[in-house]
């Protein structure tokens, strides 16, 4: 089993920045992919970005340039730096950990972009 704990969400004004963190614990495999997804009210969950254990990244096309994913393998932690936030970025952001034969999700952290 793998447990994921997200942090860093909150209220931010349009144009502002936030950094989300997700710490994984438990039976961590050396080869894995961690990532962020988000779900806005009334919408389906969508990909934000993923990063493999060797640092290969993948972004939702519309978010690349404003959002940056990174990870610290020694801490089993993935980060999402979000800049130039827009009202449309308001959502619950979920951390995902994927290893062979298993996916795990965090409980989510709410990001609200509002003036």
């Amino acid at each position: 089993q793998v447990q994921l704990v997200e942090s860093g969400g909150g209220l931010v004004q349009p144009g502002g920045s936030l950094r989300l963190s997700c710490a994984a614990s438990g039976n961590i495999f050396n080869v894995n992919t961690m990532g962020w997804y988000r779900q806005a009210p009334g919408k389906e969950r969508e990909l934000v970005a993923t990063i493999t254990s060797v640092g290969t990244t993948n972004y939702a096309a519309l978010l690349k340039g404003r959002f940056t994913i990174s990870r610290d393998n020694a801490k089993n932690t993935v980060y999402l730096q979000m800049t130039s936030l827009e009202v449309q970025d308001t959502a619950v952001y979920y951390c995902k950990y994927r290893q062979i034969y298993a996916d795990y999700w965090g409980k989510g952290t709410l990001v609200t972009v509002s003036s």
Side-chain angles (χ1 to χ4, degrees):
Q1 288 288 326
V2 173
Q3 294 77 43
L4 302 171
V5 178
E6 301 113 329
S7 61
L11 174 64
V12 62
Q13 293 186 341
S17 299
L18 274 179
R19 189 175 86 149
L20 306 182
S21 300
C22 172
S25 62
N27 190 20
I28 305 296
F29 281 30
N30 288 334
V31 179
N32 62 71
T33 298
M34 296 185 74
W36 292 94
Y37 293 71
R38 70 183 185 182
Q39 188 166 16
K43 295 188 176 181
E44 294 185 353
R45 193 172 297 188
E46 63 178 4
L47 168 73
V48 175
T50 62
I51 184 167
T52 70
S53 48
V54 295
T56 302
T57 58
N58 179 48
Y59 289 90
L62 293 178
L63 300 179
K64 192 172 185 179
R66 293 194 299 121
F67 290 12
T68 302
I69 191 169
S70 61
R71 64 187 290 166
D72 183 336
N73 287 339
K75 296 181 179 180
N76 293 320
T77 299
V78 64
Y79 305 96
L80 184 69
Q81 179 68 49
M82 304 185 292
T83 62
S84 302
L85 282 161
E86 304 170 354
V87 172
Q88 302 92 300
D89 296 317
T90 294
V92 178
Y93 285 71
Y94 296 92
C95 177
K96 180 181 178 181
Y97 170 95
R98 165 168 282 185
Q99 64 189 36
I100 189 168
Y101 302 133
D103 289 345
Y104 298 90
W105 291 90
K107 294 182 178 180
T109 184
L110 177 63
V111 172
T112 302
V113 185
S114 175
S115 56

